[in-house]
Amino acid sequence: MTREHAGGRVLVVVSSAVGEDDRKADGGSDTDRRPGADRSDDEDTFYRGGGDTKSETGANPVGSGGRTDATGPSTDRPDSTGSPNADGGEEDGYDADCDCNPKEVIAELDRRLPADVVSRCSATAVEYVEELGPTLDCVVILGADPPLIRELAADKSIPTVVYDPPVVSVVDGALTDEDHGELIERVRGEVWSDRSKSELHEANARLTALSHYAEDITACETIEAVLDRTIEAAVEALAFDHSIVFLTEGDRLVPRASVLPEPEASPSNIEDGIAGRTLAAGESEIVDDMQTDPDAIPEHDGLHAVLSVPIGTQGVIQMASKECGAFDERDKEFVEILAGYTREALERIEREVTLRTERDRLHAFFGDLPVPAIYVKCHDGVVQIEEVNCAYASQFGEPETGKSLLNAVQSDTEFEQYQTALRTGDVTTDTVERSVEDGAPQTFSLSVIPVSPPGVNECSYGIYVGADGEIPMLGP
């Protein structure tokens, strides 16, 4: 979903140097902070390219106005058109028509950069950076003001660009610039670099948050719990505002969980709407505006963009936004991961329901069998007696449940047959000798049938049939 990045904002600081230049142009004092004006030795070092700045291409360092040595600045500095300054300009190396026009620069940045441009004066800029630094892609300082530059560039994580026409400088370089083009490209590069880092950080954060829900979703015991956790993951981990899950019920798609504005979504034919189209295609899709989609069933006028992802054949999960074109391929990938967790959980619950139904039917059949039958489970490597039917109790006596099967079998061969069936998962059949209640030994055909009810790894039924194949009659 297209949202505000961790960056996405450029701060333009109008330094006191530029402000004083503006006042000078209006007839104010000609004392300013530009190179050559009354400045400290520390400032003089900065302007000559010392401190944290140096020439990147051999061009003039920040504010140097050309070559500067102990005798003062040279007069061969290029003017704003690139020609030598031969008109006897000021000794500080600046031409009047090279003064930085803050409004012009800010307007150009705002027009040409993929970010919000915010301007502050030097008096409030430091506090602004301290409070909102993490939201900034770049800081642009208009005018060379070494103390301000050092203070704002203290946080090395925020790229800082200094613009003191015709020079653009960053921490490690300076280039001439005549039409703000180099400034724009410098800042644009910093913005996109920060954006890339922010997007990677955001992607990793979303994956980490989503992974926390994976185990919860796949471990849910009911469909309702799975869907509730899925919606929670969409809102909390992926930061989507609106989400809905449809499940197939016969020939209908039924909304089972959602975070949507009023009214609630309605069931629809399994082939209708964007959800029906997604389910039929078995592929995810991004709809920039469902209000104009011919297949859409828009029940909310305020929702536009839709991200629709199939949950296997069980249903569809959708994200919705009030904005058009709000989703991208990255959003689709995240929702597909979430849908995978949901599909896995729903399939597991479906299998368990099927197995539980079969187990219940088998258990009912087990109780009604007219031949001896025993139900055993393997706990921590020990095969234990869980239950016997009436025929078993009548023929062999009723063993104590929860005890080892060794307490019920009458030979090592009989016990080994159970272990083989549990170990291999295959039905085993053999003959065994058993003493019945009256003490007379009889031969039985023993079939051990492994089964796997939900939550149990190893269990089986043992069925004893008389060697003659006849089923003994119980009771009078």
Coordinates of all heavy atoms in Angstrom, one line a residue, residues 298-372:
P298 N -19.4 -2.7 -5.9 CA -19.0 -1.7 -4.9 C -20.1 -1.4 -3.9 O -21.2 -1.0 -4.2 CB -18.7 -0.5 -5.7 CG -19.5 -0.7 -7.0 CD -19.6 -2.1 -7.2
E299 N -19.9 -1.8 -2.6 CA -20.8 -1.5 -1.6 C -20.4 -0.3 -0.7 O -21.1 0.1 0.2 CB -21.0 -2.7 -0.7 CG -21.6 -3.9 -1.5 CD -21.8 -5.2 -0.6 OE1 -20.7 -5.8 -0.2 OE2 -22.9 -5.5 -0.2
H300 N -19.2 0.2 -1.0 CA -18.7 1.3 -0.3 C -18.2 2.4 -1.2 O -17.1 2.2 -1.9 CB -17.6 0.9 0.7 CG -18.0 -0.2 1.6 ND1 -17.9 -1.5 1.3 CD2 -18.5 -0.1 2.9 CE1 -18.3 -2.2 2.4 NE2 -18.7 -1.4 3.3
D301 N -18.9 3.5 -1.4 CA -18.5 4.5 -2.3 C -17.1 5.1 -2.0 O -16.4 5.6 -2.9 CB -19.5 5.6 -2.4 CG -20.9 5.1 -2.9 OD1 -20.9 4.1 -3.6 OD2 -21.9 5.7 -2.6
G302 N -16.7 5.1 -0.7 CA -15.5 5.7 -0.4 C -14.2 4.9 -0.6 O -13.1 5.4 -0.4
L303 N -14.4 3.6 -1.0 CA -13.2 2.8 -1.2 C -12.9 2.7 -2.7 O -13.9 2.6 -3.5 CB -13.5 1.4 -0.6 CG -13.7 1.3 0.9 CD1 -13.9 -0.1 1.3 CD2 -12.5 1.9 1.6
H304 N -11.6 2.7 -3.0 CA -11.3 2.7 -4.5 C -10.3 1.5 -4.8 O -10.7 0.6 -5.4 CB -10.7 4.1 -4.8 CG -11.7 5.2 -4.8 ND1 -12.5 5.5 -5.8 CD2 -12.0 6.0 -3.8 CE1 -13.3 6.5 -5.5 NE2 -13.0 6.8 -4.3
A305 N -9.0 1.7 -4.4 CA -8.1 0.6 -4.8 C -8.3 -0.7 -4.1 O -8.8 -0.7 -2.9 CB -6.6 1.1 -4.5
V306 N -8.1 -1.8 -4.7 CA -8.3 -3.1 -4.2 C -7.2 -4.0 -4.5 O -6.7 -4.0 -5.7 CB -9.6 -3.8 -4.7 CG1 -9.7 -5.2 -4.2 CG2 -10.8 -3.0 -4.2
L307 N -6.7 -4.7 -3.5 CA -5.7 -5.8 -3.7 C -6.3 -7.1 -3.4 O -6.8 -7.3 -2.3 CB -4.5 -5.5 -2.9 CG -3.4 -6.6 -2.8 CD1 -2.9 -7.0 -4.2 CD2 -2.2 -6.2 -1.9
S308 N -6.5 -8.0 -4.4 CA -7.3 -9.2 -4.2 C -6.4 -10.4 -4.4 O -5.7 -10.6 -5.4 CB -8.4 -9.2 -5.2 OG -9.3 -10.3 -5.0
V309 N -6.3 -11.3 -3.4 CA -5.4 -12.5 -3.4 C -6.2 -13.7 -3.1 O -6.9 -13.8 -2.0 CB -4.3 -12.2 -2.4 CG1 -3.4 -13.5 -2.3 CG2 -3.5 -11.0 -2.7
P310 N -6.0 -14.8 -3.9 CA -6.8 -16.0 -3.6 C -6.1 -16.7 -2.4 O -4.9 -16.7 -2.2 CB -6.6 -16.9 -4.8 CG -5.3 -16.3 -5.5 CD -5.3 -14.9 -5.1
I311 N -7.0 -17.4 -1.6 CA -6.5 -18.3 -0.5 C -6.7 -19.7 -1.0 O -7.6 -20.4 -0.6 CB -7.3 -18.0 0.8 CG1 -7.3 -16.5 1.2 CG2 -6.7 -18.8 2.0 CD1 -8.1 -16.2 2.4
G312 N -5.8 -20.2 -1.8 CA -6.0 -21.5 -2.5 C -7.3 -21.5 -3.2 O -7.7 -20.6 -3.9
T313 N -8.1 -22.6 -2.9 CA -9.5 -22.7 -3.4 C -10.5 -22.4 -2.3 O -11.7 -22.5 -2.6 CB -9.7 -24.1 -4.0 OG1 -9.5 -25.1 -2.9 CG2 -8.8 -24.4 -5.1
Q314 N -10.0 -22.0 -1.1 CA -10.9 -21.8 0.0 C -11.6 -20.5 0.0 O -12.6 -20.3 0.6 CB -10.2 -22.0 1.3 CG -9.8 -23.4 1.6 CD -8.3 -23.6 1.4 OE1 -7.8 -23.0 0.4 NE2 -7.7 -24.4 2.2
G315 N -11.0 -19.5 -0.7 CA -11.6 -18.1 -0.6 C -10.6 -17.1 -1.2 O -9.7 -17.4 -1.9
V316 N -10.9 -15.8 -0.7 CA -10.1 -14.7 -1.2 C -9.9 -13.7 0.0 O -10.8 -13.5 0.8 CB -10.8 -14.0 -2.4 CG1 -10.1 -12.7 -2.8 CG2 -11.0 -14.9 -3.6
I317 N -8.7 -13.1 0.0 CA -8.5 -12.0 1.0 C -8.2 -10.8 0.2 O -7.5 -10.8 -0.9 CB -7.3 -12.3 1.9 CG1 -7.1 -11.2 2.9 CG2 -6.0 -12.6 1.1 CD1 -6.0 -11.5 4.0
Q318 N -8.9 -9.7 0.6 CA -8.7 -8.4 -0.1 C -8.3 -7.3 0.8 O -8.8 -7.2 2.0 CB -10.1 -8.0 -0.8 CG -10.4 -9.0 -1.9 CD -11.7 -8.5 -2.6 OE1 -12.5 -7.8 -2.1 NE2 -11.8 -8.9 -3.9
M319 N -7.5 -6.4 0.3 CA -7.2 -5.1 1.0 C -7.8 -4.0 0.2 O -7.9 -4.1 -1.0 CB -5.7 -4.9 1.1 CG -4.9 -6.0 1.7 SD -5.4 -6.4 3.4 CE -5.1 -8.2 3.4
A320 N -8.3 -3.0 0.9 CA -9.0 -1.9 0.2 C -8.4 -0.6 0.7 O -8.0 -0.5 1.9 CB -10.5 -1.9 0.3
S321 N -8.5 0.5 -0.1 CA -8.0 1.8 0.2 C -8.9 2.9 -0.3 O -9.6 2.7 -1.3 CB -6.6 2.0 -0.3 OG -6.2 3.4 -0.1
K322 N -8.9 4.0 0.4 CA -9.7 5.1 0.0 C -9.1 5.9 -1.1 O -9.7 6.7 -1.8 CB -9.9 6.1 1.2 CG -10.8 5.5 2.3 CD -10.9 6.5 3.5 CE -11.8 5.9 4.6 NZ -11.9 6.8 5.7
E323 N -7.8 5.6 -1.4 CA -7.1 6.2 -2.5 C -7.1 5.3 -3.7 O -7.0 4.1 -3.6 CB -5.7 6.5 -2.1 CG -5.5 7.4 -0.9 CD -4.1 7.6 -0.4 OE1 -3.2 7.1 -1.2 OE2 -3.9 8.3 0.6
C324 N -7.0 5.9 -4.9 CA -6.9 5.2 -6.1 C -5.4 4.9 -6.3 O -4.5 5.6 -5.9 CB -7.3 6.0 -7.3 SG -9.1 6.4 -7.4
G325 N -5.1 3.7 -6.9 CA -3.8 3.3 -7.2 C -2.9 3.2 -5.9 O -1.7 3.4 -6.0
A326 N -3.5 2.7 -4.8 CA -2.7 2.7 -3.6 C -1.9 1.5 -3.3 O -1.0 1.5 -2.4 CB -3.7 2.8 -2.4
F327 N -2.0 0.5 -4.2 CA -1.2 -0.8 -3.9 C -0.2 -1.0 -5.0 O -0.4 -0.6 -6.2 CB -2.2 -2.0 -3.9 CG -3.2 -1.8 -2.8 CD1 -4.6 -1.6 -3.1 CD2 -2.9 -1.9 -1.4 CE1 -5.5 -1.4 -2.1 CE2 -3.8 -1.8 -0.4 CZ -5.1 -1.5 -0.8
D328 N 0.9 -1.7 -4.7 CA 1.9 -2.0 -5.6 C 2.3 -3.5 -5.5 O 1.7 -4.2 -4.7 CB 3.1 -1.1 -5.5 CG 3.7 -1.1 -4.0 OD1 3.5 -2.2 -3.4 OD2 4.3 -0.2 -3.6
E329 N 3.3 -3.9 -6.3 CA 3.7 -5.3 -6.3 C 4.3 -5.7 -5.0 O 4.1 -6.9 -4.6 CB 4.8 -5.5 -7.4 CG 4.2 -5.4 -8.9 CD 3.2 -6.4 -9.2 OE1 3.4 -7.6 -8.8 OE2 2.2 -6.1 -9.8
R330 N 4.9 -4.8 -4.3 CA 5.5 -5.2 -3.0 C 4.3 -5.5 -2.0 O 4.4 -6.5 -1.3 CB 6.3 -4.0 -2.4 CG 7.5 -4.5 -1.6 CD 8.5 -3.3 -1.5 NE 7.8 -2.1 -1.2 CZ 8.0 -1.3 -0.1 NH1 8.8 -1.7 0.8 NH2 7.4 -0.2 0.0
D331 N 3.3 -4.7 -2.1 CA 2.1 -5.0 -1.2 C 1.5 -6.4 -1.6 O 1.1 -7.2 -0.7 CB 1.0 -3.9 -1.4 CG 1.5 -2.6 -0.9 OD1 2.1 -2.5 0.2 OD2 1.3 -1.6 -1.6
K332 N 1.4 -6.7 -2.9 CA 0.9 -7.9 -3.3 C 1.7 -9.1 -2.8 O 1.1 -10.1 -2.3 CB 0.8 -8.0 -4.8 CG 0.1 -9.2 -5.4 CD 0.0 -9.2 -6.9 CE 1.3 -9.5 -7.5 NZ 1.2 -9.7 -9.0
E333 N 3.0 -9.0 -2.8 CA 3.9 -10.1 -2.3 C 3.6 -10.3 -0.8 O 3.6 -11.5 -0.4 CB 5.3 -9.7 -2.5 CG 5.7 -9.7 -4.0 CD 7.2 -9.2 -4.2 OE1 7.8 -8.9 -3.2 OE2 7.6 -9.1 -5.3
F334 N 3.5 -9.3 0.0 CA 3.3 -9.4 1.4 C 1.9 -10.1 1.7 O 1.8 -11.0 2.5 CB 3.3 -8.1 2.1 CG 4.7 -7.5 2.3 CD1 5.0 -6.3 1.8 CD2 5.6 -8.3 3.0 CE1 6.3 -5.8 2.0 CE2 6.9 -7.8 3.2 CZ 7.3 -6.5 2.7
V335 N 0.9 -9.7 1.0 CA -0.4 -10.3 1.2 C -0.5 -11.7 0.7 O -1.1 -12.6 1.3 CB -1.5 -9.5 0.5 CG1 -2.9 -10.1 0.7 CG2 -1.6 -8.0 1.0
E336 N 0.3 -12.1 -0.3 CA 0.4 -13.5 -0.8 C 1.0 -14.3 0.3 O 0.7 -15.5 0.5 CB 1.2 -13.5 -2.1 CG 0.4 -13.0 -3.3 CD 1.2 -13.0 -4.6 OE1 2.4 -13.0 -4.5 OE2 0.5 -12.9 -5.6
I337 N 2.0 -13.8 1.0 CA 2.6 -14.5 2.1 C 1.6 -14.8 3.2 O 1.5 -15.9 3.7 CB 3.8 -13.7 2.7 CG1 5.0 -13.7 1.6 CG2 4.4 -14.4 4.0 CD1 6.1 -12.8 2.1
L338 N 0.9 -13.7 3.6 CA -0.2 -13.8 4.6 C -1.2 -14.8 4.1 O -1.7 -15.7 4.9 CB -0.8 -12.5 4.8 CG -2.0 -12.4 5.8 CD1 -1.6 -13.0 7.2 CD2 -2.6 -11.0 5.9
A339 N -1.7 -14.8 2.9 CA -2.7 -15.7 2.4 C -2.1 -17.2 2.5 O -2.9 -18.1 2.7 CB -3.0 -15.4 0.9
G340 N -0.8 -17.3 2.3 CA -0.2 -18.7 2.4 C -0.4 -19.2 3.8 O -0.7 -20.4 4.0
Y341 N -0.1 -18.4 4.8 CA -0.3 -18.8 6.2 C -1.8 -19.2 6.4 O -2.1 -20.2 7.1 CB 0.1 -17.7 7.2 CG 1.5 -17.3 7.1 CD1 1.8 -16.0 7.4 CD2 2.5 -18.2 6.8 CE1 3.2 -15.5 7.4 CE2 3.8 -17.7 6.8 CZ 4.2 -16.4 7.1 OH 5.5 -16.0 7.1
T342 N -2.7 -18.4 5.9 CA -4.1 -18.6 6.1 C -4.5 -19.9 5.4 O -5.3 -20.7 6.0 CB -4.9 -17.5 5.6 OG1 -4.5 -16.2 6.2 CG2 -6.4 -17.6 5.9
R343 N -4.1 -20.1 4.2 CA -4.4 -21.3 3.5 C -4.0 -22.6 4.2 O -4.7 -23.6 4.3 CB -3.8 -21.3 2.1 CG -4.2 -22.5 1.2 CD -3.5 -22.5 -0.1 NE -2.0 -22.7 0.1 CZ -1.1 -21.8 -0.1 NH1 -1.4 -20.6 -0.5 NH2 0.2 -22.1 0.1
E344 N -2.7 -22.5 4.7 CA -2.2 -23.7 5.4 C -3.0 -24.0 6.6 O -3.3 -25.2 6.9 CB -0.7 -23.4 5.8 CG 0.0 -24.5 6.5 CD 1.4 -24.2 6.9 OE1 2.0 -23.2 6.3 OE2 1.9 -24.9 7.8
A345 N -3.4 -23.0 7.4 CA -4.2 -23.2 8.6 C -5.5 -23.8 8.3 O -6.0 -24.7 8.9 CB -4.3 -21.9 9.4
L346 N -6.2 -23.2 7.2 CA -7.5 -23.7 6.9 C -7.5 -25.1 6.4 O -8.4 -25.9 6.7 CB -8.1 -22.8 5.8 CG -8.5 -21.4 6.3 CD1 -9.0 -20.5 5.1 CD2 -9.5 -21.4 7.4
E347 N -6.4 -25.5 5.6 CA -6.3 -26.8 5.1 C -6.1 -27.8 6.2 O -6.6 -28.9 6.2 CB -5.2 -26.9 4.1 CG -5.5 -26.2 2.7 CD -4.3 -26.2 1.8 OE1 -3.2 -26.5 2.2 OE2 -4.5 -25.9 0.6
R348 N -5.3 -27.4 7.2 CA -5.0 -28.3 8.3 C -6.3 -28.5 9.1 O -6.6 -29.7 9.5 CB -3.9 -27.7 9.2 CG -3.7 -28.5 10.5 CD -2.7 -27.8 11.4 NE -3.1 -26.5 11.8 CZ -4.0 -26.1 12.7 NH1 -4.7 -27.1 13.3 NH2 -4.3 -24.9 12.9
I349 N -7.1 -27.5 9.4 CA -8.3 -27.6 10.1 C -9.3 -28.5 9.3 O -10.0 -29.4 9.9 CB -8.9 -26.3 10.4 CG1 -8.1 -25.5 11.4 CG2 -10.4 -26.4 10.9 CD1 -8.5 -24.1 11.7
E350 N -9.3 -28.3 8.0 CA -10.2 -29.2 7.2 C -9.8 -30.6 7.3 O -10.6 -31.5 7.4 CB -10.1 -28.7 5.7 CG -11.1 -29.5 4.8 CD -11.0 -28.9 3.4 OE1 -10.3 -27.9 3.1 OE2 -11.6 -29.5 2.5
R351 N -8.5 -30.9 7.3 CA -8.0 -32.3 7.4 C -8.4 -32.9 8.8 O -8.8 -34.0 8.9 CB -6.5 -32.4 7.2 CG -6.0 -32.1 5.8 CD -4.6 -32.6 5.6 NE -3.7 -31.8 6.5 CZ -3.1 -30.7 6.3 NH1 -3.3 -30.1 5.1 NH2 -2.3 -30.1 7.1
E352 N -8.2 -32.0 9.8 CA -8.5 -32.5 11.1 C -10.0 -32.8 11.3 O -10.4 -33.8 12.0 CB -8.0 -31.5 12.1 CG -6.5 -31.4 12.3 CD -6.1 -30.4 13.3 OE1 -7.0 -29.7 13.9 OE2 -4.9 -30.3 13.6
V353 N -10.8 -32.0 10.7 CA -12.3 -32.2 10.8 C -12.6 -33.5 10.1 O -13.4 -34.3 10.6 CB -13.0 -31.0 10.1 CG1 -14.5 -31.4 10.0 CG2 -12.9 -29.8 11.0
T354 N -12.0 -33.7 8.9 CA -12.3 -35.0 8.2 C -11.8 -36.2 9.0 O -12.5 -37.2 9.1 CB -11.6 -35.0 6.8 OG1 -12.0 -33.9 6.1 CG2 -11.8 -36.2 6.1
L355 N -10.6 -36.1 9.5 CA -10.1 -37.2 10.3 C -10.9 -37.4 11.6 O -11.1 -38.6 12.0 CB -8.6 -36.9 10.7 CG -7.6 -37.0 9.6 CD1 -6.2 -36.5 10.0 CD2 -7.5 -38.5 9.1
R356 N -11.3 -36.3 12.2 CA -12.1 -36.5 13.4 C -13.4 -37.1 13.1 O -13.9 -38.0 13.9 CB -12.3 -35.1 14.1 CG -12.9 -35.1 15.4 CD -13.0 -33.8 16.1 NE -11.7 -33.2 16.4 CZ -11.1 -32.2 15.7 NH1 -11.8 -31.6 14.8 NH2 -9.9 -31.8 16.1
T357 N -14.0 -36.8 12.0 CA -15.3 -37.4 11.6 C -15.1 -38.9 11.4 O -15.9 -39.7 11.8 CB -15.8 -36.7 10.4 OG1 -16.1 -35.4 10.6 CG2 -17.1 -37.4 9.9
E358 N -14.0 -39.2 10.7 CA -13.7 -40.7 10.4 C -13.4 -41.4 11.7 O -13.8 -42.6 11.9 CB -12.6 -40.8 9.4 CG -12.9 -40.2 8.0 CD -11.7 -40.3 7.1 OE1 -10.6 -40.6 7.6 OE2 -11.9 -40.1 5.9
R359 N -12.7 -40.7 12.6 CA -12.3 -41.4 13.8 C -13.6 -41.6 14.6 O -13.7 -42.7 15.2 CB -11.4 -40.5 14.6 CG -11.0 -41.1 16.0 CD -10.4 -40.0 16.9 NE -11.5 -39.1 17.3 CZ -11.2 -38.0 18.0 NH1 -10.0 -37.8 18.5 NH2 -12.2 -37.2 18.3
D360 N -14.5 -40.7 14.7 CA -15.7 -40.9 15.4 C -16.6 -42.0 14.9 O -17.1 -42.8 15.6 CB -16.6 -39.6 15.4 CG -15.9 -38.5 16.2 OD1 -14.9 -38.8 17.0 OD2 -16.2 -37.3 16.1
R361 N -16.6 -42.1 13.5 CA -17.3 -43.2 12.9 C -16.7 -44.5 13.2 O -17.4 -45.5 13.5 CB -17.4 -42.9 11.4 CG -18.3 -41.8 11.0 CD -18.2 -41.5 9.5 NE -18.6 -42.7 8.7 CZ -18.4 -42.8 7.4 NH1 -17.9 -41.8 6.7 NH2 -18.9 -43.9 6.8
L362 N -15.3 -44.5 13.1 CA -14.6 -45.8 13.4 C -14.8 -46.2 14.8 O -14.9 -47.3 15.2 CB -13.1 -45.6 13.0 CG -12.2 -46.8 13.2 CD1 -12.7 -48.0 12.4 CD2 -10.8 -46.4 12.9
H363 N -14.8 -45.2 15.7 CA -14.9 -45.5 17.1 C -16.3 -46.0 17.5 O -16.4 -46.9 18.3 CB -14.6 -44.2 18.0 CG -14.1 -44.5 19.4 ND1 -12.9 -45.1 19.6 CD2 -14.8 -44.4 20.6 CE1 -12.8 -45.3 20.9 NE2 -13.9 -44.9 21.5
A364 N -17.3 -45.5 16.8 CA -18.6 -46.0 17.0 C -18.7 -47.5 16.5 O -19.3 -48.3 17.1 CB -19.6 -45.1 16.3
F365 N -18.1 -47.7 15.3 CA -18.0 -49.0 14.8 C -17.2 -50.0 15.7 O -17.6 -51.1 15.9 CB -17.4 -49.0 13.4 CG -17.3 -50.3 12.7 CD1 -18.4 -51.0 12.3 CD2 -16.0 -50.9 12.5 CE1 -18.3 -52.2 11.7 CE2 -15.9 -52.1 11.9 CZ -17.0 -52.8 11.5
F366 N -16.1 -49.4 16.3 CA -15.3 -50.2 17.2 C -16.1 -50.7 18.4 O -16.0 -51.8 18.8 CB -14.1 -49.3 17.7 CG -13.5 -49.7 18.9 CD1 -12.5 -50.7 18.9 CD2 -13.7 -49.1 20.1 CE1 -11.8 -51.1 20.0 CE2 -13.1 -49.5 21.3 CZ -12.1 -50.5 21.3
G367 N -17.0 -49.8 18.9 CA -17.8 -50.2 20.1 C -18.8 -51.2 19.8 O -19.2 -52.0 20.6
D368 N -19.3 -51.2 18.5 CA -20.4 -52.1 18.2 C -19.9 -53.4 17.6 O -20.7 -54.3 17.3 CB -21.3 -51.5 17.2 CG -22.1 -50.3 17.8 OD1 -22.2 -50.3 19.0 OD2 -22.5 -49.4 17.0
L369 N -18.5 -53.6 17.4 CA -18.0 -54.8 16.8 C -18.3 -56.0 17.7 O -18.2 -56.0 18.9 CB -16.5 -54.7 16.7 CG -15.9 -54.0 15.4 CD1 -14.4 -53.9 15.5 CD2 -16.3 -54.8 14.1
P370 N -18.8 -57.1 17.0 CA -19.1 -58.3 17.8 C -17.9 -59.2 18.1 O -18.0 -60.3 18.6 CB -20.1 -59.1 16.9 CG -19.7 -58.7 15.5 CD -19.2 -57.2 15.6
V371 N -16.7 -58.7 17.7 CA -15.4 -59.4 17.9 C -14.6 -58.6 18.9 O -14.7 -57.4 19.0 CB -14.7 -59.7 16.6 CG1 -15.5 -60.6 15.7 CG2 -14.3 -58.4 15.9
P372 N -13.6 -59.2 19.6 CA -12.7 -58.4 20.5 C -11.9 -57.4 19.7 O -11.3 -57.7 18.7 CB -11.8 -59.5 21.1 CG -12.6 -60.8 21.0 CD -13.4 -60.7 19.7

